[in-house]
Amino acid sequence: MTTPAPKKETTMMGNDWQENDNLLRALDEAVRTPDPTPPAVLEAARAVYTWRTVDAELAELVHDSRAETAALAGLRAEEAELRTLSFAAPGLTVELGVSPSALLGLLVPPGPAEVTLRLDGGQTSTVPVDEDGCFRIAPPPVGLFSVACELPGGRQVVTSTFRL
């Protein structure tokens, strides 16, 4: 009987240390400098993100004091310091006062809730609403944004997107 020859072990890393170092450097570089995300993938991600509020009720802009001021420009001597906006949805009105330092909000009818400021870039900021329906978002947002109201019972109302 003949004895079979011992099998050679194969390893992931070769015997050449320089080859191993080159492989490790290449792996390190690949991890440190990832390829940029393709624009089509970013656009698809944004599209999917917008569906997160598909079941939310839309509160449409029904009043903007800036538009009213422009229409009555010849009748007033001075412009109001606080711009006001009203958004209406069935059973809920979101009133916003815009000052240089904050958005001052009121939910009608009043009650405890949470309000989330949603910026166009995807950033969010959540603030509590007190039992009187009042909330404050500081500083006021720049660019396009919407306000989402999370009400008791899981009801969600989102304002139309707008710019101050």
Side-chain angles (χ1 to χ4, degrees), residues 151-164:
L151 304 169
R155 181 175 175 215
Q156 188 176 38
V157 176
V158 179
T159 67
S160 53
T161 302
F162 64 102
R163 181 185 318 268
L164 295 177

Side-chain angles (χ1 to χ4, degrees), residues 102-103 117-119 137-145 147 162-164:
L103 284 180
L117 175 70
R118 294 181 175 162
L119 301 175
I137 298 171
V142 175
L144 290 172
F145 69 96
V147 176
F162 64 102
R163 181 185 318 268
L164 295 177

Side-chain angles (χ1 to χ4, degrees), residues 101-162:
S101 62
L103 284 180
L104 307 172
L106 176 67
L107 299 183
V108 179
E114 275 192 344
V115 169
T116 301
L117 175 70
R118 294 181 175 162
L119 301 175
D120 188 38
Q123 302 92 343
T124 62
S125 175
T126 302
V127 297
V129 178
D130 67 19
E131 62 277 351
D132 295 326
C134 298
F135 61 94
R136 182 177 187 271
I137 298 171
V142 175
L144 290 172
F145 69 96
S146 65
V147 176
C149 306
E150 193 72 37
L151 304 169
R155 181 175 175 215
Q156 188 176 38
V157 176
V158 179
T159 67
S160 53
T161 302
F162 64 102

Side-chain angles (χ1 to χ4, degrees), residues 20-36:
N20 292 342
D21 287 343
N22 291 339
L23 177 61
L24 288 174
R25 271 194 294 281
L27 287 171
D28 185 54
E29 183 179 328
V31 170
R32 290 183 191 268
T33 55
D35 292 336

Side-chain angles (χ1 to χ4, degrees), residues 77-99:
E78 60 187 57
E79 187 175 323
E81 289 183 33
L82 184 68
R83 179 180 178 191
T84 58
L85 302 158
S86 296
F87 296 86
L92 182 73
T93 301
V94 180
E95 301 281 346
L96 294 177
V98 183
S99 78

